[in-house]
Coordinates of all heavy atoms in Angstrom, one line a residue:
G149 N -43.4 -17.6 30.8 CA -42.7 -17.7 32.1 C -43.5 -18.5 33.0 O -44.8 -18.5 33.0
P150 N -42.8 -19.3 33.9 CA -43.5 -20.2 34.9 C -44.3 -19.4 36.0 O -43.6 -18.8 36.9 CB -42.4 -21.0 35.4 CG -41.2 -20.2 35.3 CD -41.4 -19.4 34.1
S151 N -45.6 -19.4 35.9 CA -46.4 -18.8 37.0 C -47.8 -19.2 36.7 O -48.2 -19.6 35.6 CB -46.3 -17.3 37.0 OG -47.0 -16.7 35.9
L152 N -48.6 -19.1 37.8 CA -50.0 -19.6 37.7 C -50.8 -18.7 36.7 O -51.6 -19.2 35.9 CB -50.7 -19.6 39.0 CG -52.1 -20.2 39.1 CD1 -52.1 -21.6 38.6 CD2 -52.6 -20.2 40.6
Q153 N -50.5 -17.4 36.7 CA -51.3 -16.5 35.9 C -50.9 -16.7 34.4 O -51.8 -16.7 33.5 CB -50.9 -15.0 36.2 CG -51.5 -14.5 37.6 CD -50.8 -15.1 38.7 OE1 -49.6 -15.6 38.6 NE2 -51.4 -15.0 39.9
N154 N -49.6 -17.0 34.1 CA -49.2 -17.2 32.7 C -49.8 -18.6 32.3 O -50.1 -18.7 31.1 CB -47.7 -17.2 32.6 CG -47.1 -15.8 32.8 OD1 -47.8 -14.8 32.6 ND2 -45.9 -15.7 33.1
A155 N -49.9 -19.5 33.2 CA -50.5 -20.8 32.8 C -52.0 -20.6 32.4 O -52.5 -21.2 31.5 CB -50.4 -21.8 34.0
M156 N -52.7 -19.8 33.1 CA -54.1 -19.5 32.8 C -54.2 -18.8 31.4 O -55.0 -19.2 30.6 CB -54.7 -18.5 33.9 CG -54.9 -19.1 35.2 SD -55.5 -17.9 36.4 CE -57.0 -17.3 35.6
I157 N -53.3 -17.9 31.1 CA -53.3 -17.2 29.8 C -53.1 -18.3 28.7 O -53.7 -18.3 27.7 CB -52.3 -16.1 29.8 CG1 -52.6 -15.0 30.8 CG2 -52.1 -15.5 28.4 CD1 -51.6 -13.9 30.9
A158 N -52.1 -19.1 29.0 CA -51.7 -20.2 28.0 C -52.9 -21.1 27.7 O -53.3 -21.4 26.5 CB -50.5 -21.0 28.4
I159 N -53.6 -21.5 28.7 CA -54.7 -22.4 28.6 C -55.9 -21.8 27.9 O -56.6 -22.3 27.1 CB -55.1 -23.0 29.9 CG1 -54.0 -23.9 30.5 CG2 -56.4 -23.9 29.8 CD1 -54.2 -24.3 31.9
A160 N -56.1 -20.5 28.2 CA -57.2 -19.7 27.6 C -57.0 -19.6 26.1 O -57.9 -19.8 25.3 CB -57.3 -18.3 28.2
I161 N -55.7 -19.3 25.7 CA -55.4 -19.3 24.3 C -55.6 -20.6 23.6 O -56.1 -20.6 22.5 CB -53.9 -18.8 24.1 CG1 -53.8 -17.4 24.6 CG2 -53.5 -18.9 22.6 CD1 -52.3 -16.9 24.6
V162 N -55.3 -21.7 24.3 CA -55.5 -23.0 23.7 C -57.0 -23.3 23.5 O -57.4 -23.9 22.5 CB -54.9 -24.1 24.6 CG1 -55.3 -25.5 24.2 CG2 -53.4 -24.0 24.6
K163 N -57.9 -22.8 24.4 CA -59.3 -23.1 24.4 C -60.1 -22.2 23.5 O -61.2 -22.6 23.0 CB -59.8 -23.1 25.8 CG -59.4 -24.2 26.7 CD -59.8 -25.6 26.2 CE -59.4 -26.7 27.1 NZ -59.9 -28.0 26.6
I164 N -59.6 -21.0 23.2 CA -60.4 -20.1 22.5 C -60.8 -20.6 21.1 O -62.0 -20.4 20.7 CB -59.6 -18.7 22.4 CG1 -59.7 -18.0 23.7 CG2 -60.2 -17.8 21.2 CD1 -58.9 -16.7 23.7
P165 N -59.9 -21.2 20.3 CA -60.3 -21.7 19.0 C -61.5 -22.6 19.0 O -62.2 -22.7 18.0 CB -59.0 -22.4 18.4 CG -57.9 -21.7 19.2 CD -58.5 -21.4 20.5
V166 N -61.7 -23.4 20.0 CA -62.8 -24.3 20.1 C -64.1 -23.6 20.1 O -65.1 -23.9 19.3 CB -62.7 -25.2 21.4 CG1 -63.9 -26.1 21.5 CG2 -61.4 -26.0 21.3
Y167 N -64.2 -22.5 20.8 CA -65.4 -21.7 20.9 C -65.5 -20.8 19.7 O -66.7 -20.5 19.3 CB -65.3 -20.8 22.2 CG -65.4 -21.7 23.4 CD1 -64.2 -22.0 24.1 CD2 -66.6 -22.1 23.9 CE1 -64.2 -22.8 25.2 CE2 -66.6 -22.9 25.1 CZ -65.4 -23.3 25.7 OH -65.5 -24.1 26.8
I168 N -64.5 -20.5 19.0 CA -64.6 -19.7 17.8 C -65.3 -20.6 16.7 O -66.2 -20.1 16.0 CB -63.2 -19.3 17.3 CG1 -62.6 -18.2 18.2 CG2 -63.2 -18.8 15.8 CD1 -61.2 -17.8 17.8
R169 N -64.8 -21.8 16.6 CA -65.5 -22.7 15.6 C -66.9 -23.0 15.9 O -67.8 -23.1 15.1 CB -64.7 -24.0 15.5 CG -63.3 -23.9 14.9 CD -62.6 -25.2 14.8 NE -63.2 -26.1 13.9 CZ -63.0 -26.2 12.6 NH1 -62.0 -25.4 12.1 NH2 -63.6 -27.0 11.8
L170 N -67.2 -23.2 17.3 CA -68.5 -23.5 17.7 C -69.5 -22.3 17.4 O -70.6 -22.5 16.8 CB -68.5 -23.8 19.2 CG -69.9 -24.2 19.8 CD1 -70.4 -25.5 19.2 CD2 -69.7 -24.4 21.3
A171 N -69.0 -21.1 17.8 CA -69.9 -19.9 17.5 C -70.0 -19.6 16.0 O -71.1 -19.1 15.6 CB -69.3 -18.7 18.3
R172 N -69.0 -19.8 15.3 CA -69.0 -19.5 13.8 C -70.0 -20.5 13.2 O -70.8 -20.1 12.3 CB -67.6 -19.8 13.2 CG -67.6 -19.6 11.7 CD -66.2 -19.8 11.2 NE -66.2 -19.7 9.7 CZ -66.4 -20.7 8.9 NH1 -66.6 -21.9 9.4 NH2 -66.3 -20.5 7.6
G173 N -70.0 -21.7 13.6 CA -71.0 -22.7 13.0 C -72.4 -22.3 13.3 O -73.3 -22.3 12.4
E174 N -72.7 -21.8 14.5 CA -74.0 -21.3 14.9 C -74.4 -20.1 14.1 O -75.5 -19.9 13.6 CB -74.1 -21.0 16.4 CG -74.0 -22.2 17.2 CD -75.2 -23.1 17.1 OE1 -76.3 -22.6 17.0 OE2 -75.0 -24.4 17.1
A175 N -73.4 -19.2 13.9 CA -73.6 -17.9 13.1 C -73.9 -18.2 11.7 O -74.8 -17.5 11.1 CB -72.4 -17.0 13.3
L176 N -73.2 -19.2 11.1 CA -73.5 -19.5 9.7 C -74.9 -20.0 9.4 O -75.5 -19.8 8.4 CB -72.5 -20.6 9.2 CG -71.0 -20.1 9.0 CD1 -70.1 -21.3 8.7 CD2 -70.9 -19.0 8.0
V177 N -75.5 -20.7 10.4 CA -76.8 -21.2 10.4 C -77.8 -20.0 10.6 O -78.8 -19.9 9.9 CB -77.1 -22.3 11.4 CG1 -78.6 -22.7 11.4 CG2 -76.2 -23.5 11.1
L178 N -77.6 -19.2 11.6 CA -78.5 -18.2 12.0 C -78.6 -17.1 11.0 O -79.6 -16.4 10.8 CB -78.1 -17.6 13.4 CG -78.3 -18.5 14.6 CD1 -77.6 -17.9 15.8 CD2 -79.7 -18.8 14.8
K179 N -77.5 -16.8 10.3 CA -77.5 -15.6 9.3 C -78.5 -15.9 8.2 O -78.8 -15.0 7.5 CB -76.1 -15.4 8.8 CG -75.5 -16.5 7.9 CD -74.1 -16.2 7.5 CE -73.9 -15.0 6.7 NZ -72.5 -14.8 6.3
E180 N -78.9 -17.1 8.0 CA -79.8 -17.5 6.9 C -81.3 -17.6 7.4 O -82.1 -17.9 6.6 CB -79.4 -18.8 6.2 CG -78.0 -18.8 5.7 CD -77.8 -17.8 4.6 OE1 -78.8 -17.5 3.9 OE2 -76.7 -17.3 4.4
T181 N -81.5 -17.4 8.7 CA -82.8 -17.5 9.2 C -83.6 -16.3 8.9 O -83.1 -15.2 8.6 CB -82.8 -17.7 10.8 OG1 -82.0 -16.6 11.3 CG2 -82.1 -19.0 11.1
L182 N -85.0 -16.4 9.0 CA -85.9 -15.4 8.6 C -85.8 -14.2 9.5 O -85.9 -13.0 9.1 CB -87.3 -15.9 8.6 CG -88.4 -15.0 8.1 CD1 -88.2 -14.5 6.7 CD2 -89.8 -15.6 8.3
F183 N -85.7 -14.4 10.8 CA -85.6 -13.2 11.7 C -84.4 -12.4 11.6 O -84.4 -11.2 11.8 CB -85.8 -13.7 13.2 CG -84.8 -14.6 13.7 CD1 -83.6 -14.1 14.3 CD2 -84.9 -16.0 13.7 CE1 -82.6 -14.9 14.8 CE2 -84.0 -16.8 14.2 CZ -82.8 -16.3 14.8
V184 N -83.3 -13.0 11.2 CA -82.1 -12.2 11.0 C -82.2 -11.4 9.6 O -81.9 -10.3 9.5 CB -80.8 -13.1 10.9 CG1 -79.6 -12.3 10.5 CG2 -80.6 -13.7 12.3
K185 N -82.8 -12.1 8.6 CA -83.0 -11.4 7.4 C -84.0 -10.2 7.5 O -83.8 -9.2 6.9 CB -83.6 -12.4 6.3 CG -82.6 -13.5 5.9 CD -81.4 -13.0 5.2 CE -80.6 -14.1 4.6 NZ -79.4 -13.6 3.9
S186 N -85.0 -10.4 8.4 CA -86.0 -9.4 8.6 C -85.3 -8.2 9.3 O -85.5 -7.0 9.0 CB -87.1 -9.9 9.5 OG -87.8 -10.9 8.8
A187 N -84.4 -8.5 10.3 CA -83.7 -7.4 11.0 C -82.8 -6.6 10.1 O -82.7 -5.4 10.2 CB -82.9 -8.0 12.1
E188 N -82.2 -7.3 9.1 CA -81.3 -6.6 8.2 C -82.2 -5.8 7.2 O -81.8 -4.7 6.8 CB -80.5 -7.7 7.4 CG -79.5 -8.4 8.2 CD -78.8 -9.5 7.4 OE1 -79.4 -9.9 6.4 OE2 -77.7 -9.9 7.8
T189 N -83.3 -6.3 6.9 CA -84.2 -5.5 6.0 C -84.7 -4.2 6.6 O -84.8 -3.2 5.9 CB -85.4 -6.4 5.6 OG1 -85.0 -7.6 5.0 CG2 -86.4 -5.6 4.6
F190 N -85.0 -4.2 7.9 CA -85.4 -3.0 8.6 C -84.3 -2.1 9.0 O -84.5 -1.1 9.7 CB -86.2 -3.4 9.8 CG -87.6 -3.9 9.5 CD1 -87.9 -5.3 9.5 CD2 -88.6 -3.0 9.1 CE1 -89.2 -5.7 9.2 CE2 -89.9 -3.5 8.8 CZ -90.2 -4.8 8.8
G191 N -83.1 -2.4 8.6 CA -81.9 -1.5 8.8 C -81.3 -1.6 10.1 O -80.6 -0.7 10.6
I192 N -81.5 -2.7 10.9 CA -80.9 -2.8 12.2 C -79.4 -3.1 12.0 O -79.0 -3.9 11.1 CB -81.5 -4.0 13.0 CG1 -83.0 -3.6 13.2 CG2 -80.8 -4.2 14.3 CD1 -83.8 -4.7 13.9

Side-chain angles (χ1 to χ4, degrees):
S151 72
L152 187 56
Q153 290 75 17
N154 290 340
M156 290 175 58
I157 295 173
I159 296 171
I161 294 174
V162 169
K163 291 295 183 181
I164 285 174
V166 176
Y167 295 95
I168 290 178
R169 292 181 66 91
L170 184 63
R172 177 180 179 270
E174 292 293 321
L176 291 176
V177 175
L178 290 172
K179 69 187 295 184
E180 302 299 331
T181 56
L182 184 59
F183 61 87
V184 172
K185 294 293 186 183
S186 300
E188 294 173 341
T189 302
F190 284 103
I192 298 177

